Amino acid sequence: MTSKKLVNSVAGCADDALAGLVACNPNLQLLQGHRVALRFDLDSLKGRVALLSGGGSGHEPAHAGFIGKGMLTGIIAGAVFASPAVGSILAAIRAVAQAGTAGTLLIVKNYTGDRLNFGLAREQAQAEGIPVEMVVIGDDCAFTVVKKAGRRGLCGVVLIHKIAGALAEAGVPLKEIKDRVSVAAKAMGTLGLSLSSCSVPGSRPNFELAADEVELGLGIHGEAGVRRMKMAPADEIVRLMLDHMTNTSNVSHVSVQAGSSVVLVVNNLGGLSVLELGIVADAAIRTLESRGVKVARALVGTFMSALEMPGLSLTLLLVDESRLKLIDAETTASAWPHMPKVSVTGQKRIRPAPAHPTEAPDITVEGLSSKRMVLVLEQVCATLLDMEEYLNTLDRVSGDGDCGTTHSRAARAIQEWLRESPPPAHPAKLLSQLSLLLLDKMGGSSGALYGLFLTAAAQPLKASTDLPAWSAAMDAGLEAMRKYGKAAPGDRTMLDSLWAAGQELQALRNPQANLFHILTKAVESAEAAAQATKNMTAGAGRASYISSTKLDEPDPGAVATAAILRSILQVLKNLESE
């Protein structure tokens, strides 16, 4: 079965993609009759060297995204993963020559079809009297022995575009640009890694990997790498990649060692999430710096993809000050990242957190003690940990299945907090500190809602801790949840069970109130309200996006809050009977 692709037609997808890029970028033009994109301001290049590159489509944003002042003059695109036509390459060369440029440099990735077609176009252009030079870039670090075909061209060619573009913009002559980028290419290496395959429009995936496998050293068209290995943590994968790239016994290694200064490129092969890319970038910088390598600049993003392949490549370019200035030179190319012109290594990456406000000394409140607080919190934590899988199961019906995990994370955070020091005895201070803890550690909307509830509930208890104050605290917490969470009773949320309990706790305002009788009724009402949510139509939260006919289980948040109230009542009753 072929993979799904959002295209108009398989045959026309490369043309449509290039047309879309040009349509959105007024600085580009298509060359009529050819799959060629050129700078709109060709006439401004008179007397300077033109830079042309290209290759198969499917590697976007390469190469058209790198057209602009300070980078490429134009590109020639082939069909997906296919070399461009000789006639189109020659037409591009003629177009820039007719604009009065001082010669053309063809920047070609080292693949047989690209070498042949660009090379033939160059020969024909030279026969017409057009000065044309060509550099073939091979930056692949995968193979440990010499291959007749040489090193494959990978993401490193983008850095060559940048260096050549800066030189051309400065008016450097053709031969010098060719010589300098050729030297730079020898100081560069790239290694790719894939979690699974990609597929050309209209075709099946071009290789398969087991669920627990990754492939090291593959090419940008899905060509085989040097080995398959078991999936591992990102830190370990990155360390292995950098080891392979810099191993001096590897004939295709890049000579990076302690004291070297490098430009690092962390490139998305198309289907890796931005989250994963950030993790890889962090691992790469930490690993290089731990080896005494200075990361002068770091480019992180999608620069040369392989359609939707979930994978990445790492590129290292050795730099000195003169080469770094070329990397830093201004460009209008849309796909080149705007990065600070300062070294990555040596920057202070962490700002100290602001100090917490000074708190008043803790005061023991009559009828309460730190020990009692600990017993209550320990029971609540034990209950939530026991309910983790049950709450996750309930949440899979209406959410992302992590309600139990989120509550367990909160429980473990509270347990760790209790181990560090006794909790405050004063209820207001206790609730305030629990609020900060859950906001920091629990995460998700549940953490925010609990934080809101506890912060608001703490305020009435600052002035008094008698029974009416506890009723007022419940009211304040519920009002905060309604105000910011936008839920109301009956919306099938955690508010339903808390609201039911809150209505019963109104009785605490009566001077003759029986605490345990009222608490028991409050807990029973909360539990009944939690079960009643299975018959409600969701009016807030993720469940509100799901048909009510599919919601045949109670809301997990309501079940969790009812269980918390039951745990509190249980401990208080046990303490009363002692």
Side-chain angles (χ1 to χ4, degrees):
M1 179 179 177
T2 59
S3 60
K4 291 188 289 187
K5 292 285 191 295
L6 195 59
V7 299
N8 295 313
S9 69
V10 171
C13 63
D15 294 287
D16 291 348
L18 191 59
L21 178 69
V22 172
C24 297
N25 192 334
N27 294 321
L28 304 184
Q29 283 183 319
L30 291 172
L31 189 61
Q32 186 175 11
H34 299 278
R35 200 181 291 127
V36 173
L38 298 166
R39 283 175 59 171
F40 186 88
D41 60 345
L42 278 187
D43 291 339
S44 70
L45 299 178
K46 187 172 184 179
R48 280 180 289 178
V49 173
L51 304 175
L52 296 176
S53 188
S57 297
H59 302 302
E60 291 75 16
H63 294 274
F66 301 108
I67 299 174
K69 182 179 180 180
M71 286 195 81
L72 296 177
T73 309
I75 65 96
I76 308 93
V80 175
F81 290 178
S83 299
V86 174
S88 291
I89 300 170
L90 184 58
I93 296 171
R94 288 169 176 162
V96 297
Q98 289 170 11
T101 56
T104 299
L105 179 64
L106 305 178
I107 303 173
V108 182
K109 298 187 302 299
N110 187 29
Y111 290 98
T112 301
D114 289 355
R115 290 197 317 270
L116 289 173
N117 290 6
F118 276 90
L120 182 54
R122 177 199 176 206
E123 293 297 323
Q124 291 179 348
Q126 286 182 323
E128 296 175 10
I130 302 173
V132 183
E133 295 289 349
M134 186 169 100
V135 289
V136 178
I137 306 301
D139 54 312
D140 188 7
C141 285
F143 297 102
T144 57
V145 295
V146 176
K147 297 281 184 178
K148 183 177 181 180
R151 299 165 69 186
R152 295 174 294 198
L154 302 175
C155 185
V157 74
V158 173
L159 297 179
I160 298 302
H161 293 340
K162 185 66 182 64
I163 291 170
L167 292 170
E169 189 65 29
V172 175
L174 178 59
K175 185 178 185 306
E176 184 180 344
I177 295 176
K178 178 185 177 182
D179 292 344
R180 290 180 67 174
V181 298
S182 297
V183 171
K186 294 175 182 176
M188 178 175 67
T190 300
L191 186 66
L193 178 130
S194 177
L195 281 64
S196 63
S197 180
C198 63
S199 57
V200 173
S203 302
R204 296 171 179 268
N206 51 8
F207 66 88
E208 291 185 3
L209 283 172
D212 63 345
E213 281 186 327
V214 297
E215 178 137 2
L216 180 71
L218 77 169
I220 53 173
H221 312 98
E223 308 96 326
V226 288
R227 69 181 172 108
R228 293 185 176 184
M229 59 188 192
K230 294 297 182 183
M231 190 68 187
D235 282 2
E236 186 177 330
I237 294 261
V238 169
R239 185 166 57 251
L240 185 148
M241 292 178 72
L242 292 172
D243 286 346
H244 189 94
M245 294 172 69
T246 59
N247 187 340
T248 54
S249 66
N250 173 3
V251 296
S252 61
H253 76 282
V254 55
S255 299
V256 172
Q257 54 194 339
S260 296
S261 182
V262 301
V263 169
L264 165 70
V265 182
V266 182
N267 173 57
N268 190 347
L269 288 176
L272 206 66
S273 69
V274 176
L275 182 144
E276 293 165 283
L277 206 63
I279 293 169
V280 169
D282 177 60
I285 290 171
R286 282 190 286 104
T287 302
L288 288 167
E289 290 180 341
S290 72
R291 299 176 180 184
V293 177
K294 177 184 177 183
V295 181
R297 302 288 185 272
L299 291 72
V300 182
T302 305
F303 306 104
M304 182 171 289
S305 65
L307 291 168
E308 81 281 26
M309 183 179 288
L312 68 125
S313 64
L314 298 179
T315 299
L316 297 176
L317 169 67
L318 288 159
V319 291
D320 53 17
E321 285 302 315
S322 62
R323 191 171 290 161
L324 197 56
K325 285 181 180 178
L326 300 174
I327 294 293
D328 285 342
E330 294 298 324
T331 179
T332 60
S334 60
W336 183 260
H338 296 285
M339 53 187 174
K341 298 175 183 178
V342 294
S343 174
V344 170
T345 297
Q347 296 302 309
K348 190 175 182 180
R349 295 172 190 153
I350 298 176
R351 177 182 292 274
H356 290 293
T358 304
E359 295 183 345
D362 199 17
I363 301 172
T364 301
V365 179
E366 185 179 355
L368 296 169
S369 70
S370 183
K371 181 180 178 181
R372 289 186 178 186
M373 298 290 191
V374 169
L375 292 174
V376 169
L377 291 172
E378 285 178 342
Q379 182 59 48
V380 169
C381 291
T383 298
L384 293 177
L385 290 170
D386 287 343
M387 296 179 70
E388 179 175 2
E389 186 49 41
Y390 175 57
L391 293 175
N392 281 341
T393 300
L394 293 179
D395 195 33
R396 289 186 191 104
V397 176
S398 58
D400 51 6
D402 68 345
C403 182
T405 302
T406 302
H407 280 80
S408 291
R409 186 160 57 240
R412 293 188 180 93
I414 293 171
Q415 288 176 331
E416 179 65 26
W417 180 60
L418 292 175
R419 284 192 290 269
E420 291 175 354
S421 61
H426 196 287
K429 189 178 291 186
L430 174 69
L431 297 189
S432 294
Q433 291 193 15
L434 280 173
S435 169
L436 293 173
L437 181 69
L438 297 185
L439 287 169
D440 184 41
K441 301 294 186 181
M442 188 175 187
S445 57
S446 295
L449 289 169
Y450 279 113
L452 278 168
F453 178 86
L454 292 170
T455 298
Q459 306 315 307
L461 297 172
K462 289 180 177 179
S464 173
T465 58
D466 58 12
L467 295 184
W470 282 97
S471 177
M474 188 69 165
D475 289 348
L478 291 169
E479 180 56 30
M481 292 180 73
R482 292 183 67 185
K483 179 179 180 180
Y484 294 102
K486 298 298 182 183
D491 278 346
R492 197 184 187 276
T493 69
M494 62 191 292
L495 182 67
D496 287 301
S497 55
L498 288 172
W499 184 266
Q503 300 314 295
E504 297 295 340
L505 292 180
Q506 294 294 324
L508 291 175
R509 300 174 188 269
N510 190 322
Q512 284 76 45
N514 182 313
L515 175 61
F516 285 101
H517 176 72
I518 294 170
L519 285 179
T520 300
K521 288 188 67 176
V523 171
E524 290 171 350
S525 293
E527 291 171 337
Q531 290 304 310
T533 59
K534 69 170 65 176
N535 301 315
M536 295 178 183
T537 299
R542 285 185 174 137
S544 63
Y545 301 105
I546 298 173
S547 170
S548 59
T549 59
K550 298 180 181 179
L551 300 174
D552 54 359
E553 297 287 350
D555 178 73
V559 171
T561 51
I564 291 170
L565 294 173
R566 171 63 68 181
S567 298
I568 295 171
L569 176 61
Q570 178 183 332
V571 174
L572 292 178
K573 280 187 172 181
N574 290 342
L575 290 171
E576 183 66 17
S577 64
E578 290 180 358

